[in-house]
Structures are given as C-alpha cells and as structure tokens.
Amino acid sequence: MSDRDNQGRDEEGGGQSFGTPARGSADVGQREPIGTSGQNHWREATITEPGLNDRGNVFFAAIEMTRMPMILTDPHQADNPIVFANKAFLDLTLYEEAEVLGRNCRFLQGAQTDRQAVTQLREAIERKDSIALELLNYRRDGSPFWNAVFIGPVYDVQGTLLYFFASQLDVTRRRESEKSAMQAQKMEAVGQLTAGLAHDFNNLLQVVNGNLELLESQLEGERSLRYLQRARAAAERGAKLTGQLLAFARKTRLDPRPIDINECINAFVDVMDSSIGKQVELQLSLRRNLPKAVLDPEQFEMAVLNIALNARDAMPEGGVVEIVTGKIHLNGDASSRELAPGDYITIEIRDHGEGMPDHVVERAIEPFFTTKQTGKGTGLGLAMASGFVQQSRGRLEIESEVGSGTTVRMLFPVAAADEVEVPGPQRKSTSAPEGENAVSAHILVVEDSPDVLSLAREILEDAGYRVATAESGEIALKNFKAMAPGTIDLLFTDLVMPGGINGIVLAQEIAAIDPGLPVLMTTGYNEELVIEGPRASGLDVLGKPYRKADLLDRIRQALSQRGVTEVRRRRSDFGSAEE
C-alpha cells in the first residue's frame, strides 16, 4: 500500500479521491491504444465515497455518455462479479445489463482467447496490481473482437480494496491492419527471395538446356539419345517451375488487353472440363453483357484452371465446381480490399468440398504450401494465381468453411474503353538475313555469366554469325566506341548486369552513337523493365532459359529491324511489380 501513501499521488475533488499515476508502468510491453505510454491516468485509486447508489452527479453522466466501455467488479463477492457496466460496454459486447451484472468477465472469452494472457490477468488481480493487455473476446452474437483491457484496483481511505475498475477498447481494426501489413511484408519478402532464386536458376538452366541441345546433334544411338531426352525433359520442368515462381512473385511479363471474360472462359471450357476429370461436374453461371476486363488472357486461363483443379481435389468423392462471373462497384469499401475505387469484374470458382480452417486459408497463397499428400501437388497453383491477379491490379480472395466448401474470387479492373493498339512502323521489305548474309552479320554479345556467354557465342557462331563478346556493360561500351562505325549489326545483351551500366543503360548509350542499331535483350525476369520506367518501352526481350531455335529466330527478327528508329509498340500500363 506504500504506493498510495507516497508523495507522488494525484488528488482530485478536494481529496475526495486520489490515486497513483501510471507513468507508463501499467503499459509496459503492451500496445497502448492511445498511441503513447500512459503517464497521467491512475493505475490505482482511493475514494472517500465507496457506494454505487449515488448516480446523480455529472461524473456518472460522463461515464454513461462516454464511448469508452467501463465496468467495476467486486472482489469481495464470490468469483469477482461485475457490479457496474456502462452503456458503452453493453454496446461493445451486445449484452443487456441484466445479462452481465453478477457474472465474472470470463463470459467474454472463447475458443481462441489466449490462455496465457488470461493467466496474466488473473494473477495481477490476485496481487491487487494493475495490468494492461489485449485479449480476443467474443460478443453475444459470437463475433470475435480484440479487446484492449486496462484493469486497476480501487481502495477506500483505510486501504481496503473495494473494486477493480476495467476499461476496454475495441482494437480489432488495428490488429487486422497490423496482421495484413505483416502478411504483406512477409509475402513481399518471399516474393523477392523467390524472384532472385528464379533469376539465378534461369541462368543455370540456360547453360544446362543449351548444352544438352548442342549435345543432341553430336550423339548417336537410341539409348544415348533417350538419356539425353530425359535430362532435357527434367530441365524443361525446372524452367516451368521457375516460371511459376516468377508468376507468384509478380515478375511475369504480361500482355494485358481488354477481353471479354465470358468469351475467354467459353473458349477454353473444354480444356478445363477434360483437365478436372469426370469425377466432378463443371457448371458455368456467366453474367451476360459484362464489360471487358484488362488482363492477360493466357495467364487468366492458367489461373482459372489451377483454381478449378484445387476445387476438384477438395472433393475426392465427386461434386460440382461452379464458375460464376459478375460485376461489382467498389467505393467506400475499396481501401479495405486494397483496391482503387471503381468497377471490377469478378470470377468465382466454388466447390462444396472439405473446406479449409482459418490458419490454412491464411497460408493458402504461399508458394509450396499445400495440404495435399506428397506428389499430389506443388503448392504453386494459388500462389501463381494470386501473383497474376495482383500484377493485373486486381485482388484474389478466399472464403472457406470446414465442411462447407471454398470460394476463390478474383477481381479485375474494368476496361475504361476498348484500347486501340498503336501501330508500329512498317517493317523492312527485305527478308531476315540467312545463308551468306548471315555470315556478314556481326553481333556484340554482352553477358556477365561466362557460361551463358560461351553458350550464346557457340550457338551464334555455329549459325554463321560473327560474334564479339563482353562480360560487362562497361567493357561492351568501351569496345563499341573503339570500333569503326557500322562494325556491329546487332547488340544482344543481358538486362541485369553488375556495375553502373545494365542492359538498358548500355542500349541507351549505344543508341546515342548508332540510333539504328537493333537491340535484343535477355533476362531471367523482367522486374528491371519496370524499374527503368519509360526507357524500357519498346524493348525486345528474350526470356531465359531460351532454346537455340528461339534465339536464332529472335536474332533474325532483330536484324531485320536494322535502321528502324521509331518506337514499335505502346508501353503497357501493366508492369511486373506494383507497390
């Protein structure tokens, strides 16, 4: 009781009541609802009028008028029941006064309430200490809310404990916001890691695939060729896997355009029907006269198919997979869905299968997270779909209930108007260089990976091209400046290179010297195209890992553009990553 007798106490009402200021002590380790550590409010109080019958003064009116829920409990009665609850407490919990008076506060607790926090609260009360913490409580209708609770003792002038005072504050919105922010940070970190690994892995796969392809022409014998084909098939699966990872990380290069969602679904429904098998029935409910949505149709089809396959797997005994399209307008609720206000097209894929508990729903879009048995799935289907939808400036939502099924909803922005592609300049009438003309073409290859550089050089030289190489943008620019004008016919450069000169900067520097020189770039992923902004518009990019035939075809196309200086295409409004 020494705290109440010290000189630091705070008196009110001419000594009718006094208390010990908290000075932050009751909030240590807690997320203080008011945003700062409590200094002036009392953590324990002493009063001269202990009764609850005099309710005619202004302070009682203030307690009933405040929106801060407050209660008093009586520790002298069995089970420390509530003896007073203000109107705000009834509003918060949805109980009536007669339903709370005489009951211990534990009736607000439920299945997910942290038992350790409850123990801390109970022990503080046993010690007659004050405490501040946050509990998951439940209203009368069963809905949960996060309750920021402060509890402190109230004494009389003789030092006898009279009541425990408790104030509450619904901090659910803040908790959910923090949870969403943490999840977003987690997914962004996973995405960055995934993209980096995929980029490096694509360089390795380029070397593996390229050399296997070159080796194929040197081998004889059916058995040796069979071994090589198996290795190539495995490497191609690895390339497909990196593509899936990049889709999750929102690093896929999209080709968005206004499309009719219903037409797109109808066009590949036969493929989807055969893919999900005969154990489930596919039902379409497509709203007529929907406006067009802006997205990449190929990526959209893959996303819908992956979600439909998950829906099938959730119903091992068979059932119905429904695909429903519609339109919604987001206004006041747009920010809560992390979208801009406006009109959106919705696509829902519904099943009536096993459903998912909340903790599984929270992790459902993480790459490689799956509840399926080993070998039954990679855990990338929803991750890919989520990455694609976000990259398309939309949102993927999952609603699921154990035993009742799952609904996966995708929202895409409505096209403001049918976009008209900007026509490119007319191509040269001359055919792409082949045969003897190919020998005369001189290509500058810039690549910081020695193995990839060696492979590209060998492929091009075998095709009859003359090749000059450089392992960095700085070396390439220096060598180009030292060459006689017209020596180089094509720049083939990696986009991502160490140092101050990456592929885009190199192309810009060389364009200042030779504006008509065609440029072909290659990269493991395309995030840098967005980082570089307008300078990246109109670039030809060959994704890694590439096949020999793909490289030679793109080289021929690029050489046919010698002398063309106009921008050949309008830059898409959609990039590879968006804050």
Side-chain angles (χ1 to χ4, degrees):
M1 310 297 289
S2 58
D3 285 343
R4 291 178 288 106
D5 296 330
N6 62 31
Q7 296 181 354
R9 73 183 187 181
D10 186 13
E11 291 192 1
E12 291 293 342
Q16 293 181 75
S17 62
F18 54 87
T20 304
R23 306 196 191 286
S25 62
D27 307 312
V28 175
Q30 304 303 322
R31 284 175 270 188
E32 174 59 31
I34 63 174
T36 59
S37 179
Q39 298 291 322
N40 297 307
H41 74 81
W42 293 346
R43 61 185 175 90
E44 62 179 47
T46 300
I47 59 176
T48 59
E49 298 181 12
L52 296 176
N53 295 324
D54 184 8
R55 302 190 179 188
N57 58 47
V58 67
F59 294 104
F60 176 76
I63 289 174
E64 291 291 31
M65 292 180 70
T66 183
R67 296 178 65 187
M68 176 72 75
M70 300 177 184
I71 61 172
L72 287 174
T73 68
D74 186 352
H76 300 290
Q77 296 186 39
D79 207 23
N80 191 21
I82 297 173
V83 292
F84 170 78
N86 71 346
K87 306 303 182 186
F89 179 84
L90 304 180
D91 290 338
L92 172 65
T93 64
L94 304 182
Y95 285 92
E96 298 298 330
E97 185 176 40
E99 296 174 316
V100 302
L101 295 182
R103 300 177 66 184
N104 185 280
C105 297
R106 72 173 66 91
F107 70 87
L108 295 175
Q109 300 169 18
Q112 300 299 318
T113 304
D114 186 350
R115 310 322 299 177
Q116 184 176 359
V118 173
T119 300
Q120 293 176 6
L121 187 151
R122 184 176 62 251
E123 291 175 349
I125 290 176
E126 291 174 353
R127 296 192 306 268
K128 302 178 183 178
D129 284 344
S130 56
I131 186 172
L133 46 73
E134 293 181 3
L135 285 174
L136 184 65
N137 283 162
Y138 293 82
R139 298 183 180 88
R140 191 177 189 278
D141 63 359
S143 60
F145 69 96
W146 279 98
N147 193 359
V149 181
F150 169 77
I151 298 177
V154 179
Y155 298 91
D156 65 12
V157 291
Q158 284 77 35
T160 302
L161 177 66
L162 298 177
Y163 307 105
F164 276 101
F165 169 83
S167 65
Q168 291 88 26
L169 183 65
D170 186 349
V171 293
T172 304
R173 183 178 299 178
R174 192 207 72 212
R175 295 281 300 218
E176 292 298 325
S177 177
E178 291 175 351
K179 181 180 178 181
S180 298
M182 290 178 63
Q183 180 69 6
Q185 292 174 0
K186 172 185 173 182
M187 298 307 290
E188 183 64 24
V190 173
Q192 293 289 347
L193 175 62
T194 299
L197 290 174
H199 174 262
D200 293 340
F201 196 46
N202 273 335
N203 272 340
L204 298 176
L205 285 171
Q206 179 60 62
V207 177
V208 172
N209 282 339
N211 282 283
L212 287 174
E213 195 169 8
L214 293 176
L215 181 61
E216 187 174 18
S217 63
Q218 307 295 323
L219 288 180
E220 295 181 0
E222 182 179 345
R223 187 174 185 180
S224 297
L225 288 173
R226 187 167 64 251
Y227 292 157
L228 184 139
Q229 290 295 335
R230 290 175 182 171
R232 286 190 61 183
E236 288 174 358
R237 286 197 298 270
K240 182 179 180 181
L241 177 62
T242 58
Q244 293 172 326
L245 292 174
L246 291 173
F248 157 73
R250 291 170 287 156
K251 304 290 190 283
T252 299
R253 200 178 193 192
L254 300 180
D255 181 22
R257 55 185 182 273
I259 69 165
D260 187 313
I261 289 289
N262 292 342
E263 288 183 2
C264 186
I265 293 174
N266 282 322
F268 82 106
V269 68
D270 290 339
V271 174
M272 186 162 46
D273 200 17
S274 62
S275 297
I276 64 177
K278 297 181 179 180
Q279 71 267 34
V280 298
E281 178 185 351
L282 186 63
Q283 288 188 358
L284 303 183
S285 178
L286 309 181
R287 179 176 171 181
R288 299 179 60 189
N289 301 320
L290 285 177
K292 293 183 177 181
V294 183
L295 49 82
D296 184 318
E298 292 185 2
Q299 293 290 331
F300 170 71
E301 291 176 4
M302 183 62 68
V304 172
L305 179 58
N306 281 328
I307 298 171
L309 291 173
N310 281 346
R312 175 203 64 187
D313 294 340
M315 299 183 293
E317 303 301 323
V320 177
V321 174
E322 300 176 73
I323 298 181
V324 182
T325 61
K327 176 186 172 183
I328 63 171
H329 178 76
L330 299 183
N331 190 6
D333 58 343
S335 59
S336 65
R337 299 173 104 156
E338 300 177 350
L339 293 173
D343 292 324
Y344 289 82
I345 301 299
T346 64
I347 302 92
E348 295 184 352
I349 296 92
R350 306 171 181 169
D351 68 66
H352 303 280
E354 302 167 347
M356 297 180 285
D358 292 342
H359 70 276
V360 173
V361 172
E362 290 177 1
R363 300 190 59 192
I365 64 171
E366 294 182 14
F368 302 115
F369 176 79
T370 179
T371 57
K372 300 176 183 177
Q373 297 178 358
T374 303
K376 296 296 184 180
T378 63
L380 283 172
L382 279 176
M384 289 174 57
S386 176
F388 158 67
V389 174
Q390 290 184 58
Q391 196 172 341
S392 302
R393 299 180 181 177
R395 177 180 173 84
L396 184 141
E397 301 174 340
I398 303 175
E399 297 177 1
S400 188
E401 184 177 347
V402 175
S404 299
T406 299
T407 296
V408 179
R409 180 183 305 107
M410 293 183 286
L411 287 75
F412 296 98
V414 167
D418 289 353
E419 299 179 4
V420 178
E421 291 294 326
V422 178
Q426 193 165 4
R427 293 180 180 269
K428 291 185 176 182
S429 59
T430 57
S431 60
E434 293 182 2
E436 294 181 0
N437 290 331
V439 177
S440 65
H442 195 182
I443 302 173
L444 174 58
V445 180
V446 189
E447 172 65 62
D448 63 296
S449 170
D451 291 334
V452 177
L453 179 63
S454 176
L455 175 66
R457 178 172 190 165
E458 184 170 354
I459 292 174
L460 294 174
E461 287 181 341
D462 284 349
Y465 296 105
R466 291 178 294 135
V467 178
T469 62
E471 294 189 2
S472 71
E474 289 82 359
I475 295 175
L477 184 59
K478 178 181 177 181
N479 292 348
F480 186 84
K481 289 179 177 179
M483 296 176 182
T487 301
I488 298 298
D489 299 298
L490 171 68
L491 171 64
F492 178 47
T493 177
D494 190 17
L495 196 152
V496 185
M497 292 184 292
I501 300 182
N502 62 20
I504 293 177
V505 175
L506 176 62
Q508 185 183 39
E509 294 289 338
I510 288 181
I513 303 171
D514 185 355
L517 183 71
V519 178
L520 175 62
M521 293 193 180
T522 181
T523 184
Y525 67 106
N526 297 290
E527 180 183 27
E528 287 72 16
L529 295 177
V530 176
I531 293 175
E532 293 295 335
R535 289 187 297 173
S537 61
L539 293 177
D540 279 333
V541 181
L542 176 62
K544 296 177 183 176
Y546 49 77
R547 293 173 176 268
K548 175 182 175 181
D550 295 334
L551 172 60
L552 295 179
D553 180 64
R554 295 295 293 274
I555 289 289
R556 285 192 294 269
Q557 290 182 24
L559 284 170
S560 72
Q561 293 298 305
R562 176 67 169 166
V564 177
T565 58
E566 297 93 338
V567 175
R568 297 190 295 109
R569 64 176 69 86
R570 181 183 62 80
R571 175 175 170 82
S572 168
D573 292 334
F574 288 76
S576 62
E578 185 171 308
E579 292 289 337

